Amino acid sequence: METFMDTILKALKATANNEQQKTLATFLLSLNNMDVITKLQELYKYCLINEDFKLAEEIKQEIIKRKVEITKELAEKAFRKKE
């Protein structure tokens, strides 16, 4: 589930001209992912309460995907910093 903001921020990162712009785009991508995770966690709880376990599992997978993306962005940033 990619949001419009995800698309915009990934394009911003891809077209960054310098390290500062890449760092800012990485930060914004991670911040956006954290915001989406928070909302998805609320929706996940709602699905469990209403016993919609199939949708809850799909939401759980999206949460995991977003957490992995945050980790990947931070690892990429750390790698660029070492160069």
Side-chain angles (χ1 to χ4, degrees), residues 30-77:
S30 296
L31 188 63
N32 181 62
N33 276 327
M34 288 186 277
D35 186 46
V36 171
I37 288 170
T38 301
K39 291 174 179 142
L40 287 171
Q41 287 172 331
E42 292 172 15
L43 186 56
Y44 176 76
K45 290 176 191 174
Y46 178 79
C47 289
L48 291 179
I49 290 169
N50 289 299
E51 299 181 2
D52 190 346
F53 301 115
K54 183 179 178 195
L55 183 57
E57 183 59 31
E58 290 175 22
I59 292 167
K60 184 179 176 182
Q61 292 304 315
E62 182 65 24
I63 291 169
I64 291 168
K65 179 183 148 215
R66 297 246 175 200
K67 287 180 178 179
V68 167
E69 191 172 322
I70 290 170
T71 303
K72 185 182 96 177
E73 291 292 336
L74 295 175
E76 184 181 303
K77 169 62 180 142

